[in-house]
Amino acid sequence: MAEKTLFGGIEAGGTKFVCAVGSDPNHIVDEIRFPTTAPIKTIQQVCDFFAPHLNQLHGIGLGSFGPVDVDPASSTYGYITTTPKPYWGNTNILGMLRKKLNLPIAMDLDVVTAGLGEAKWGASMGFDPSLYLTIGTGIGGGYIVNGKPLRGLVSLEMGHIHIPHDLNLDPFQGTCPYHGDCFEGLASGPAIQARLGQRAETLSDNDPFWDVEAGYIAYALVNYILTLAPRKIILGGGIMQKDFMFEKIRARVKALLNKYLNHPALIDHMDGYIVPPALGNRAGVLGAIALIMNSDQ
Ligand SMILES: [Zn+2]
C-alpha cells in the first residue's frame, strides 16, 4: 500500500464545490471544481474525485457553507441545518461522506476553515490569535486561537452583532430575519442590494454608500479588536473585492479607536493589520486541508 502522506480538502460552497488532494499550497497533486447541485449528485462527484486517492489519504477536511451543526455532542452533528438553499436543508453531509469514503473527516464552517488556512500558510501565518471575516452574501467570522478555531456554547456568529445605526444617515431597516439591522442585516451584499436596488459589485467606486459600508465594517472590527485582540485581521468575501475599501476601513478603525489602544499595529501599521486573504481562490480548499491536518481524528 502507498505511504499515506496526503490530505483531502473539500470546500463546500453554496454555488460551487472545490476538492483537492495535497499537503500544502505548493503540493496540490489533484484538484477539481464543479457547480453545487442537489446533495446526492454533488456528494457523488466528491466521492468520484477522491476514489483514486483513498489509499494515500490520512483524512479529509470539509469546510462547508452554513449554517452547519459543528457540535460533536449534537444529534445533528455534521448536518447543514436550516439553509434556504434548495434541497440542502437538513442534509447530513458529514455522515454521507464518512459512509462513502470510510476515512476520518473533520468539518467546520467555511469561514472557519478559511481562517485556519490563512493562519497556517497565508496572511495570518505567525499571528495568533487571528480573525478571518467574510463580507459577502452573508457575514461571518472565524477566530483562530492557539492554532484552533474558538468554540464555546455555540459557534461564533460574528455577523450578527449589533453596531451603531444612524437612521438619519441610513434609514434602511436591515435584512436580517432575526435582528433587522444587525451587522449582516446592514452590510451584507443582499442588504446593499435591498437598500440601493442594485448589486454591490455594480455600484460605482465613487458611490457615497461605500463610506457608510466602511463605517459599519469598522464598527464591527473595533468591537472584535476590543474583545478578542486579534494580532491580524483578514477581510475576505465579495464586498472586499473592492480594494479601495481596505483603506477606508483602516482609516475608520483608527479614528474610532482614537489611540485608546497604544500598539504600533493599531496606530502606525494599520495597513499590515487589516489585510486581504493571501491564499486566493484556493483559500477554502487549503483551509479544509489545514482543518484535517490540525485535527485529532
Ligand atoms: Zn442578524
Side-chain angles (χ1 to χ4, degrees):
M1 196 166 96
E3 193 186 351
K4 291 190 176 186
T5 55
L6 298 172
F7 296 86
I10 305 168
E11 176 191 354
T15 54
K16 71 171 191 307
F17 267 58
V18 185
C19 302
V21 170
S23 52
D24 64 63
N26 298 316
H27 298 92
I28 298 293
V29 302
D30 199 2
E31 188 175 9
I32 194 171
R33 288 160 193 264
F34 49 84
T36 307
T37 54
I40 289 175
K41 181 181 173 195
T42 307
I43 288 167
Q44 189 58 50
Q45 283 176 285
V46 172
C47 295
D48 291 346
F49 167 77
F50 284 114
H53 302 288
L54 289 180
N55 286 341
Q56 292 174 279
L57 293 179
H58 280 284
I60 294 175
L62 166 63
S64 174
F65 72 93
V68 292
D69 185 342
V70 292
D71 176 6
S74 163
S75 61
T76 52
Y77 172 57
Y79 279 59
I80 293 173
T81 55
T82 54
T83 178
K85 187 166 176 57
Y87 315 117
W88 284 87
N90 203 31
T91 293
N92 183 6
I93 183 171
L94 181 62
M96 290 164 84
L97 286 167
R98 279 182 170 164
K99 194 171 166 193
K100 281 178 174 278
L101 294 170
N102 198 25
L103 276 175
I105 303 179
M107 176 182 187
D108 215 318
L109 261 180
D110 47 10
V111 65
V112 170
T113 53
L116 272 177
E118 291 289 337
K120 199 168 182 74
W121 298 299
S124 48
M125 186 168 58
F127 296 88
D128 191 316
S130 65
L131 172 64
Y132 182 98
L133 196 71
T134 183
I135 304 163
T137 309
I139 298 181
Y143 182 61
I144 310 301
V145 55
N146 296 324
K148 299 207 170 207
L150 181 68
R151 288 236 183 79
L153 179 69
V154 292
S155 54
L156 302 190
E157 290 289 350
M158 305 182 81
H160 292 268
I161 64 169
H162 281 92
I163 51 176
H165 178 199
D166 180 347
L167 285 163
N168 292 318
L169 178 71
D170 177 24
F172 182 64
Q173 293 297 318
T175 55
C176 178
Y178 294 90
H179 317 115
D181 63 349
C182 66
F183 179 27
E184 180 176 288
L186 287 172
S188 66
I192 294 175
Q193 188 170 359
R195 178 194 282 110
L196 301 174
Q198 66 182 104
R199 294 172 62 83
E201 53 266 41
T202 66
L203 205 59
S204 153
D205 291 0
N206 301 319
D207 194 288
F209 179 75
W210 289 120
D211 288 315
V212 178
E213 175 78 4
Y216 291 144
I217 297 168
Y219 273 129
L221 294 189
V222 164
N223 284 324
Y224 305 143
I225 292 166
L226 290 167
T227 50
L228 300 171
R231 292 182 187 276
K232 188 76 81 176
I233 295 176
I234 300 170
L235 301 181
I239 301 291
M240 297 311 302
Q241 299 295 311
K242 301 271 186 190
D243 289 344
F244 63 85
M245 284 295 282
F246 280 91
E247 216 30 70
K248 285 185 192 289
I249 292 165
R250 289 175 190 132
R252 292 298 291 273
V253 167
K254 202 168 159 179
L256 287 168
L257 286 172
N258 197 23
K259 299 188 181 173
Y260 176 66
L261 300 173
N262 185 20
H263 191 284
L266 301 172
I267 293 173
D268 302 319
H269 304 292
M270 194 65 89
D271 55 341
Y273 181 63
I274 298 172
V275 299
L279 296 177
N281 66 358
R282 277 183 171 165
V285 77
L286 284 167
I289 290 175
L291 177 70
I292 187 66
M293 288 177 86
N294 288 5
S295 152
D296 303 328
Q297 300 197 49

